[in-house]
Amino acid sequence: MSTPRFLPMLGHTRGKRSAVTCALKCDSQCAGPVCNTSSNSYFPDVVASEVSRRAALGAGAAAAFAAAVTLDTADASAAIPAAPKRPFTGDGKLKFTPIAPVPANVDAMTVPDGYDWHPIIRWGDPLFNDSPAFDPNKQTAESQARQFGYNNDYTQVIVDPAHRNGRRGLMFVNHEYTNPAIMFPPSMDKAEQRAVSRNAHGLTVVELERDNKNGPWRYVKGAPRNRRFLLSTEFQLTGPAAGSDLVKTKADPSGTRILGTFANCSGGVTPWGTMLSGEENFHGYFVGRDTKEDKRYGISSKPTAQGWEQDDPRFSAKNPGYENEAHRFGWVVEVDPFDPSSTPKKRSALGRFKHEGANVIVAANGKVVAYSGDDEKFDYLYKFVSKKTYREGDRAHNMTLLDEGDLYVAKFTGNSPASEIDGTGKVPSDGKFDGRGEWLPLIKDGKSMVPGMRVDQVAVFTRLAADLVGPTKMDRCEDVEPHLATGRVYVACTNNSNRTQADEANPRTANRDGHIVEIAEDRGDQTSRTFSWDLLLVAGDPKQGDVTYFSGYPADKVSPISCPDNVTFDQAGNLWIATDGAPDGIGYADGLFRVPLSGRERGHVTQFLAVPNQAETCGPIVHSDEGYAMVSVQHPGEDGTWEKQESAFPYAGGPCPRPSVVQVMRKAGR
Ligand code: FEO
Ligand code: CA
Ligand code: CA
Ligand code: CA
């Protein structure tokens, strides 16, 4: 028997990324070989003729913004918070004194003075009237199917327009992966553990309520729209891969009906009020056959960490009829949270890779543009441009926009001499990291633009298609979000310990702390084939001697930050950054940080909260207009065992930590 990919008691050095998380969440990608062995350049090329990006961002951007916030009043999107007409910086009702960095092993939620936190919903909380209460010592697959899942990641809330005074909302949550060593009593049958694990994956929609706009959100057990998306939930595959021979299996000869979604990391919300969710580290759930395609996607032929292939033949490509099952994962999923009977969709037009998430903006010409990163060392940044245009008030039409369109991959070119990009992250002599970029077409007008590949091949094997057109190898693109007011796109590059050759958009070798790229599409047109870009920041702790860059803001006045992952915007135009991996980088707990994007405060990073021991901060939602923030606290105490837990979060008793969605708000009367 070959060696399993995961040994439960792998050694773990404090301060280093947990071996448990590495094995369970991403199939130990950091330790494994680099999947992208193509010869694409790290773009050391230098272009002298850079146009002024700021001059290029004018009326077009304003028009794009106008389109982006033209919300459909008949739609749920009417309640999506509109961005301000002009970007500005400010606190709104979310004034705070930054917290000091918290040492990595502190098992506490740390919030600013004058603020409190509470969990809105925790792993195992009952969702339906018939759901059993959470009993960690008596877990069953059936009860988990009716309860909130594990390891909440992307989280979004749409305030329900059907209720007055903003008192009801719909929350959407991804459950990325499970950690059996701390979830289950060791005496529990292993097959039952796997069955519970499967039902702890997937997605949740749950209704929220509050007494008034200043009151805390709480979830509503038994609400009519509450829903779990499980491995038994049928998804429809749409777009160029639908019906392709590459996605047909014994159980689905049509190649259009896929059971389940898993490894859902981040996501996005559309202007028509649906939720997008990225199937990210799906490769770790499949036993492959060591094909060229398997290797490019990191699918190994060894037993998996979760071991689901022991229970269901579709998780091994060695079982005849299931050679293509893994091709049915790695998509962006679209869910209508308002209709609990709706069939969720997998949108193959956005390509198949380790989607962190996807975020959309409506361009000035009405086309919908979706940005998505492939979270893998040396992989790429993508954008999709819809064929059809957004129609105000026509939700049924808008829900088809992600079915058909053009798919591009990004190539970045710096404008500084290569000699000035020395791999340290030191800013070049022109005072900033910036340059030009190009979107290279993979699919256009329904046709493959990649020689030798059919359009369905491009959709299913997007990484291999992209390898052939020469995009830029990035330092693990996580969230990629357009700012609705400015149209600028923020790309969180979380880290890349393997980088040996720097380029201006990835300017640090052995990039431990990550950076954030800011893209401005030419003429403010989100559908443009060309763009300019800047780095917003090169993360790290200047006080520890790290070479950092904060858009020119004095480095000694910022909160240290490492491993940017999920991002969001507040109503005042600021970017908020959730981190994943700061303990490995700067030795502090992960947290949530604010950074203004314009004016004198641009680059001034301040820390709002820190998460408990061994947790990652995910799914930030920030309402500076209502004075609160939410985060998903993922994998608290991930290195523990059932007998020796390493976090007690959320501190309500019980034998094991419970990943939870948390709201942080002002203390009553403050
Ligand atoms: Fe699940 Fe890209 O982090
Ligand atoms: Ca992430
Ligand atoms: Ca986000
Ligand atoms: Ca991450």
Side-chain angles (χ1 to χ4, degrees), residues 104-150:
N105 58 358
V106 171
D107 189 34
M109 272 296 290
T110 306
V111 298
D113 277 348
Y115 284 79
D116 248 340
W117 66 275
H118 68 276
I120 295 172
I121 191 164
R122 306 163 296 182
W123 165 49
D125 277 339
L127 290 168
F128 307 97
N129 287 329
D130 65 354
S131 300
F134 182 58
D135 182 345
N137 289 302
K138 288 192 189 128
Q139 299 180 59
T140 66
E142 293 69 32
S143 53
Q144 178 64 79
R146 309 294 284 164
Q147 296 164 338
F148 193 63
Y150 201 75

Side-chain angles (χ1 to χ4, degrees), residues 561-566 577-582 589-593 616-618:
I561 182 170
S562 176
C563 302
D565 189 335
N566 298 150
I577 304 162
T579 68
D580 169 23
D590 279 310
L592 179 65
F593 301 78
E616 145 185 8
T617 321
C618 299

Side-chain angles (χ1 to χ4, degrees), residues 17 25 265 280 356 375 476 478 494 563-565 580 616:
R17 176 45 127 179
K25 178 170 182 160
C265 193
E280 191 193 35
E356 170 73 6
D375 180 9
R476 295 184 54 199
E478 298 256 19
T494 194
C563 302
D565 189 335
D580 169 23
E616 145 185 8

Side-chain angles (χ1 to χ4, degrees), residues 51 70 162 372 428 465-466 619:
V51 298
T70 301
S372 188

